[in-house]
Amino acid sequence: MPQSRPPHEPGPELAKSLREIVGARRLTAVQEWLGAHPPHVIADELARMDAVDAGVAFRVLDKDRALAVFEELEPVDQQQILEGLRDRTFREIVEGMDPDDRARMLREAPAKVAQRVLAGLSANEQQMTSALLGYPEGSVGRWMSPEVVALSQNLTVGQALRTVRAKGADAETVYTLPVVDSGRRLTGVVELRELVLNSPETMVSQLVVSEPASAYATESAEQAARLMRETNDLNLPVVDSEERLVGLFTSDDALEVIEAADTEDVARQSGSAPWAGHYMAASVWQLARYRALWLTLLLVAATLTVGVTQAFEATLEQVAQLALFIPMLIGAGGNAGAQAATACVRALAVGEVRGSDLLKVIWRECRVGLVLGSLLAALGLVLGTLFVSVKIALVVGITLVLICGWAATIGGAMPLLARRLRIDPAVVSAPMVTTLVDATGLVIYFLTAKAVLGV
């Protein structure tokens, strides 16, 4: 009699990736794999696959599980799945989505897909989705959930709990319950925990937190997400210009907003354009296309360094040993500038620095750069005297102090100047700062050499 496998040990099919199993077109094994993994793992596997294989695997899922997996996907991957679904399944999926998730998907969808989605919705779902799409791009109105259980402060706890039971099934969350007046203007919030822990006769007005943190629907979603992190709120009420409640911004959506913003900043800081979708599903040509533009611009900008070197060609001919230290100096300056730029972009993102702090940041980073430059100069003097004369080592030491001070100043100032000019600070951060410091650092180096060596 063959020995059965212990239940906690995965079979050979479960040990494989979903892509491998679907590629072999073994649907029974696909069902086994899908049944053994949670929705977020399935979504990650689907995002790694091409459109045909992802569609094959998705159609194996039952209705409820398919919706759970679908909502875990990024909008670009959701569009890919929808394009391969038949009308009935298509309608079931888009109707079952939360309105805010549906609006985010439609934001990036081609017009043909968007029309098909809206046409497949019920009148109520279509109205909510269209209302969310009416808010500005990047605003918290695009991310909020309009399905909210709102309470009147004139209710007792018992009445409030009955309201939650009656309406809560249609809401995305009931942990935070906005309290409104007769005109639906926000007057406070009460947590479900407070209702559960108090007696049914207690008035909601006794438990309400007045003047809660909130956001206007037209405000930046990233700013609202940062506010939630500062206040430690699970959900943030969203109001219109007349302070009327229009939705709730939930913590899971806030995390997505911050992740998207940080992902974009990382891409900008590395000299690349941000892209949507899974890294492993992107082709080589797609990745190259996103990076090519910035590399081309930086290459053109780097010609400044060539021009500076050519302008001081006579100085190099007289003291050829100066050329030995060029890579070290521009590397030190570029790194110092990139460190300052990265620190300031991050400080801007989390609200620790404002545009009005420009002069303070310049003064602070200048001093930091001079301190770092002095430390490097001491080391440079020691190493320099081992290979060249003391005078040239002195030139290198002085240049390190000046370059690091200048680079840190530029690196700290550029993101704040960009914010004042309404440019994404990450765009002008590390790569641009490094390129600028390379050229100006050489000018500092050669001018210092002329002054010290008299050439």
Side-chain angles (χ1 to χ4, degrees), residues 42 71 171 200 230 267 298 313 325 402:
I42 299 173
E71 291 189 332
E230 291 175 7
L298 292 173
E313 187 176 0
F325 297 95
L402 297 176

Side-chain angles (χ1 to χ4, degrees), residues 59-194:
R59 284 192 288 272
V60 175
L61 295 164
D62 61 65
K63 177 182 174 182
D64 293 337
R65 196 162 172 79
L67 180 58
V69 171
F70 191 81
E71 291 189 332
E72 293 286 346
L73 293 167
E74 292 294 322
V76 65
D77 300 315
Q78 290 177 335
Q79 296 165 32
Q80 179 176 281
I81 294 293
L82 283 179
E83 288 174 0
L85 296 181
R86 296 176 180 175
D87 286 344
R88 179 180 176 183
T89 307
F90 183 100
R91 287 194 297 271
E92 289 176 347
I93 291 293
V94 297
E95 181 77 17
M97 294 178 70
D98 290 325
D100 53 326
D101 293 333
R102 190 187 303 123
R104 285 198 299 282
M105 180 189 69
L106 294 178
R107 177 185 61 194
E108 303 171 7
K112 184 178 179 181
V113 175
Q115 291 171 2
R116 187 183 175 199
V117 169
L118 290 174
L121 295 174
S122 63
N124 183 49
E125 293 291 335
Q126 189 177 105
Q127 181 180 4
M128 285 192 292
T129 304
S130 298
L132 294 180
L133 290 172
Y135 290 108
E137 180 72 25
S139 67
V140 70
R142 286 283 186 103
W143 287 83
M144 70 181 183
S145 172
E147 298 174 309
V148 182
V149 178
L151 303 176
S152 168
Q153 60 185 357
N154 297 323
L155 298 177
T156 64
V157 166
Q159 292 171 327
L161 286 174
R162 284 195 290 274
T163 301
V164 173
R165 294 189 190 99
K167 301 180 179 180
D170 296 326
E172 184 170 343
T173 179
V174 293
Y175 296 112
T176 301
L177 300 164
V179 178
V180 297
D181 62 14
S182 58
R184 203 173 170 76
R185 284 183 290 272
L186 182 69
T187 60
V189 295
V190 63
E191 299 294 331
L192 179 62
R193 178 177 183 273
E194 296 298 324

Side-chain angles (χ1 to χ4, degrees), residues 21 75 118 120 272 293 321 333 336 395 401:
I21 303 173
L118 290 174
S272 174
L293 175 61
Q321 289 177 323
V395 170
V401 176

Side-chain angles (χ1 to χ4, degrees), residues 113-295:
V113 175
Q115 291 171 2
R116 187 183 175 199
V117 169
L118 290 174
L121 295 174
S122 63
N124 183 49
E125 293 291 335
Q126 189 177 105
Q127 181 180 4
M128 285 192 292
T129 304
S130 298
L132 294 180
L133 290 172
Y135 290 108
E137 180 72 25
S139 67
V140 70
R142 286 283 186 103
W143 287 83
M144 70 181 183
S145 172
E147 298 174 309
V148 182
V149 178
L151 303 176
S152 168
Q153 60 185 357
N154 297 323
L155 298 177
T156 64
V157 166
Q159 292 171 327
L161 286 174
R162 284 195 290 274
T163 301
V164 173
R165 294 189 190 99
K167 301 180 179 180
D170 296 326
E172 184 170 343
T173 179
V174 293
Y175 296 112
T176 301
L177 300 164
V179 178
V180 297
D181 62 14
S182 58
R184 203 173 170 76
R185 284 183 290 272
L186 182 69
T187 60
V189 295
V190 63
E191 299 294 331
L192 179 62
R193 178 177 183 273
E194 296 298 324
L195 298 182
V196 173
L197 294 178
N198 280 275
S199 65
E201 294 77 24
T202 304
M203 297 298 296
V204 169
S205 57
Q206 296 178 247
L207 307 175
V208 69
V209 176
S210 58
E211 299 183 2
S214 63
Y216 288 104
T218 53
E219 287 183 11
S220 162
E222 184 180 352
Q223 290 179 357
R226 305 283 184 194
L227 174 61
M228 286 180 67
R229 189 169 66 178
E230 291 175 7
T231 59
N232 294 318
D233 288 328
L234 282 176
N235 304 286
L236 189 72
V238 182
V239 297
D240 62 15
S241 58
E242 297 180 2
E243 304 292 335
R244 291 177 301 200
L245 180 72
V246 291
L248 273 181
F249 187 36
T250 57
S251 55
D252 58 332
D253 289 335
L255 287 173
E256 284 191 37
V257 169
I258 292 177
E259 180 184 358
D262 290 346
T263 299
E264 181 177 349
D265 286 348
V266 168
R268 299 291 191 193
Q269 288 172 4
S270 62
S272 174
W275 69 88
H278 201 291
Y279 170 82
M280 295 303 296
S283 69
V284 171
W285 288 110
Q286 283 178 312
L287 294 176
R289 187 176 75 249
Y290 285 119
R291 300 176 189 179
L293 175 61
W294 279 103
L295 285 177

